[in-house]
Amino acid sequence: MKQCSSKGIEPTYLGLDIGGANIKFSDGTNTGELRFELWKSADRLAETLQSLVVEQPDCVAVTMTGELCDCFESRREGVNFIANAVDLAYSESEVYFYRIAGTFCQKNEVNRFWPEIASANWHATASWLAQSCRINDGVIIDFGSTTTDIIPIAAYMPVHQGSDDFSRLVCNELIYTGLSRTPITMVLPQYKVGQHRLQLAAENFATMIDAYLIAGWIKEDPNNCLTADARPLTKHNSARRIARLLCSEPESIGSELVSEISLAAIAAQWNIIAPAIDLNLMNLTKKTIWVCGEGAIVLQKHLERNRADVHSHIIDSTASAMASTPAIAVREILLSQCRS
C-alpha cells in the first residue's frame, strides 16, 4: 500500500467502526463512541461523520456492521451506502475500507469486495490484538453492546472457520447477545414468581446492562443514556426498567424481585455464551482467553466465577478503548500497512 499523502509533516489517520446503532472512532489521540441510529437517520450519516472531526484527516480507515440495518434492501446495498457516505464526508481524505483478507480497498472497489467488507470489524480487532498483544495461542472474545465475537488465535493470527455473519453463527464464533442492546427478554422470556411462571413483557423495556447494574457487576454512569428508554444508567432507572417487564414498578413488586430477575438474566446470558466458548477452546493448546469490548469487565467476571480452568485477561481497562476497539484496530492496521 502506498504511503498516505499528508497536508502536514505527519499524515493524520482516523479509524471508524460504523454500526447500526453507534459510530466508534479513533484518531490516535481521541477515542470514543457516538450514538447514531442508522436505520432511522441514514440520510444524515455523511454529515454526522463529518462532525467527528475539525479538520479532514489525511487517511480514513473504515470497518462496518451497519449494512445489516433493515433500512437497506440487502447487505450489498448497505455496504455501498455507507461507503458513499464516508466518501462524501471525507472528500479531501484518502479513504480505505477494511476487508476480511486483512487488506484494504478504496471506494471504486467496494462494490466488488462488499462481501469481504460487510461486518469485518471482528477480524480487524482480532488481527490487531493478536499482533500488538503477542497472542500466540488462545481465544479473543469481544463482548460488545450487541454481539459476542469469539475468535480463535494461533501463530498470532485469527484461525476462524466462518467468514461472514451467517457462517460465523453456524460455527459459534458469533453469538448475537451483548451488554447494552440485548433485551432481557431475549435471554429470559419467562420467570417464576411464587408458584406462577410468568411470561415477561416481550418489549424492549430493559436490556442486559440494567441487570448487570442492579447485580453490582458494573457501576452507575449518569452520563450513559444508551438505555432502553434513553434515561441515564442509574440503579433507580434500571430498577424501573426491569420492573416494567412485569408490567409494574419497583414500589409495587419490591426491589428483591427486581434483583432476582437481574441475576436470572445474567445466568441465562452466560448459558448462551459458555457453550460457544467451550467449542472454540476445544482444539487449542492453551486455554487462555483475552477479553475486550464494551462488556469486557462483565465477561471477565463471568469467567472468574464459572471457568476457573482458563486463564483470562482484559486487554484494556479504559472504557472508551474497550468500547471502540475495532476503530482503534482498523486505524492501526492501516497506519502499519502505509508505513511498510
Side-chain angles (χ1 to χ4, degrees):
M1 178 177 289
K2 69 177 183 177
Q3 174 74 42
C4 286
S5 60
S6 173
K7 307 177 191 73
I9 298 174
E10 286 290 331
T12 54
Y13 291 80
L14 174 68
L16 296 173
D17 178 21
I18 302 173
N22 303 294
I23 299 171
K24 299 169 184 177
F25 58 90
S26 177
D27 64 5
T29 302
N30 300 305
T31 295
E33 181 178 15
L34 176 68
R35 183 168 188 167
F36 181 78
E37 295 176 332
L38 179 59
W39 71 95
K40 291 182 179 179
S41 307
D43 59 331
R44 293 197 299 106
L45 178 58
E47 66 181 84
T48 301
L49 290 171
Q50 203 169 36
S51 72
L52 296 176
V53 299
V54 176
E55 294 183 1
Q56 294 258 315
D58 295 307
C59 306
V60 181
V62 184
T63 188
M64 65 181 74
T65 58
E67 76 284 343
L68 195 58
C69 286
D70 57 11
C71 59
F72 304 123
E73 183 72 19
S74 65
R75 290 180 299 133
R76 181 177 192 156
E77 178 187 322
V79 169
N80 279 284
F81 181 93
I82 292 170
N84 286 333
V86 176
D87 196 51
L88 180 62
Y90 304 113
S91 57
E92 299 175 23
S93 308
E94 295 179 30
V95 181
Y96 297 90
F97 299 89
Y98 186 81
R99 298 167 52 197
I100 200 172
T103 58
F104 291 87
C105 68
Q106 292 188 286
K107 172 65 171 54
N108 61 346
E109 300 174 296
V110 166
N111 194 51
R112 174 186 172 193
F113 290 117
W114 77 264
E116 299 178 36
I117 298 169
S119 295
N121 64 347
W122 62 272
H123 190 276
T125 294
S127 298
W128 175 63
L129 290 177
Q131 292 291 323
S132 62
C133 298
R134 306 305 296 160
I135 302 172
N136 182 38
D137 189 22
V139 170
I140 292 174
I141 303 180
D142 184 344
F143 185 50
S145 63
T146 310
T147 62
T148 303
D149 292 299
I150 305 174
I151 310 122
I153 302 294
Y156 309 106
M157 294 179 62
V159 286
H160 50 94
Q161 296 182 56
S163 57
D164 61 9
D165 281 355
F166 176 70
S167 59
R168 295 181 66 236
L169 285 168
V170 171
C171 298
N172 286 285
E173 293 173 350
L174 170 63
I175 312 299
Y176 221 96
T177 190
L179 177 65
S180 58
R181 286 186 49 79
T182 297
I184 285 178
T185 49
M186 288 296 294
V187 303
L188 188 73
Q190 298 180 335
Y191 188 72
K192 191 174 183 180
V193 180
Q195 300 301 312
H196 306 283
R197 181 162 291 280
L198 306 183
Q199 187 78 24
L200 300 183
E203 296 274 3
N204 188 22
F205 284 150
T207 62
M208 288 304 301
I209 199 167
D210 294 310
Y212 287 111
L213 177 58
I214 293 298
W217 286 40
I218 60 175
K219 297 178 181 179
E220 289 185 312
D221 183 0
N223 294 319
N224 183 354
C225 293
L226 303 180
T227 59
D229 60 4
R231 291 186 174 91
L233 185 64
T234 63
K235 287 189 174 181
H236 172 81
N237 290 332
S238 288
R240 304 197 77 79
R241 286 189 283 263
I242 292 172
R244 203 167 285 126
L245 296 173
L246 290 175
C247 304
S248 192
E249 54 282 316
E251 297 86 353
S252 299
I253 64 173
S255 58
E256 185 176 342
L257 182 53
V258 170
S259 295
E260 289 174 5
I261 291 174
S262 299
L263 292 173
I266 289 169
Q269 187 174 52
W270 171 249
N271 288 336
I272 293 170
I273 298 171
I277 294 176
D278 292 337
L279 285 170
N280 283 282
L281 283 172
M282 191 178 300
N283 298 320
L284 297 179
T285 305
K286 294 181 181 178
K287 307 301 182 187
T288 305
I289 295 175
W290 301 80
V291 182
C292 65
E294 180 181 312
I297 293 173
V298 162
L299 186 60
Q300 176 74 352
K301 288 184 178 179
H302 272 301
L303 293 167
E304 290 170 352
R305 294 178 181 215
N306 300 295
R307 291 302 305 267
D309 58 316
V310 302
H311 300 288
S312 58
H313 313 273
I314 291 182
I315 291 175
D316 193 324
S317 60
T318 306
S320 61
M322 286 193 293
S324 304
T325 303
I328 299 170
V330 78
R331 177 187 181 274
E332 292 300 320
I333 294 171
L334 180 62
L335 179 58
S336 175
Q337 291 185 13
C338 283
R339 287 177 172 173
S340 63

